Amino acid sequence: MNDRIRVPEVRLVGPNGEQVGIVPIAKALELARESDLDLVEVAPTARPPVAKLMDYGKFKYESAMKAREARKNQAHTIIKEIKLRPKIDPHDYETKKGHVVRFLKAGDKVKVTIMFRGREQSRPELGYRLLQRLAEDVDELGFVESRPKQDGRNMIMVLGPHKKKAEAKAEAKAERAAREQEQESAQG
């Protein structure tokens, strides 16, 4: 930028994108001062390097705003974790399954961990069957991303949602709006 450019000449681009041509660095800096703009090196690897007349502060601000907007529209997939035991009560299983369903509907991945204690470690097939049953129960919402595998005292399986996080968010927003509309029509 400006005096930090250390080359004898640059290919100059005007503030509106028009080509000025190859000019000595002193003349380019003089043009920049006259038009009250900065001389910014755009392509330093080109021969000769390309420099543009622009308001550098405004350029930095606009690029930061674009980056921020891109991050705002980006959906992060979060891995939620559910822990089970091989000898789980049917009601407790239904509760845990409800949590898995909720997470998958929200577009999150779910890591299901079965913890084995004591003699349970000699019967890993109990945990495998439980994980298979859970995968079948939530089949319409998600798919098995990584098959059940033994990891020391635990058996782990990862479920991924069929819907992307952004789609799930949009669907939830539409549902909420429909509910609010329904409540307003019931009140008024």
Side-chain angles (χ1 to χ4, degrees), residues 12-150:
L12 189 62
V13 178
N16 300 321
E18 71 276 357
Q19 293 286 334
V20 176
I22 299 172
V23 294
I25 194 71
K27 186 166 191 268
L29 285 168
E30 187 182 310
L31 285 170
R33 277 192 213 95
E34 283 174 10
S35 54
D36 201 27
L37 294 171
D38 297 309
L39 182 68
V40 180
E41 201 170 33
V42 184
T45 56
R47 288 283 157 244
V50 180
K52 184 174 182 181
L53 295 173
M54 66 169 80
D55 184 353
Y56 188 67
K58 183 179 174 186
F59 170 73
K60 269 184 78 170
Y61 173 76
E62 285 173 353
S63 62
M65 293 314 284
K66 280 182 193 168
R68 189 168 155 200
E69 195 66 32
R71 274 196 310 274
K72 190 166 71 172
N73 293 334
Q74 204 172 46
H76 326 303
T77 301
I78 301 166
I79 296 184
K80 303 284 190 169
E81 187 170 9
I82 292 287
K83 293 190 176 188
L84 305 170
R85 298 290 315 273
K87 298 175 182 171
I88 191 169
D89 184 66
H91 180 266
D92 292 340
Y93 171 79
E94 289 301 318
T95 303
K96 297 282 187 174
K97 184 180 91 177
H99 292 314
V100 171
V101 166
R102 189 179 75 224
F103 295 148
L104 289 173
K105 276 185 181 175
D108 295 322
K109 290 182 182 184
V110 182
K111 178 180 173 184
V112 184
T113 305
I114 294 189
M115 301 174 294
F116 295 99
R117 285 203 305 223
R119 291 186 200 155
E120 293 172 348
Q121 289 178 22
S122 64
R123 303 278 308 278
E125 66 276 0
L126 290 175
Y128 185 80
R129 276 196 302 243
L130 184 62
L131 289 175
Q132 289 299 327
R133 183 173 136 207
L134 181 64
E136 288 169 14
D137 288 348
V138 297
D139 193 37
E140 69 277 356
L141 294 170
F143 62 96
V144 177
E145 203 167 273
S146 76
R147 313 255 2 114
K149 56 181 171 273
Q150 190 81 28

Side-chain angles (χ1 to χ4, degrees), residues 162-181:
H162 287 307
K163 280 188 266 179
K164 296 268 187 276
K165 182 84 171 178
E167 292 171 19
K169 268 186 174 178
E171 202 172 276
K173 193 175 182 181
E175 238 174 69
R176 205 175 312 116
R179 245 185 285 127
E180 287 174 3
Q181 187 90 27

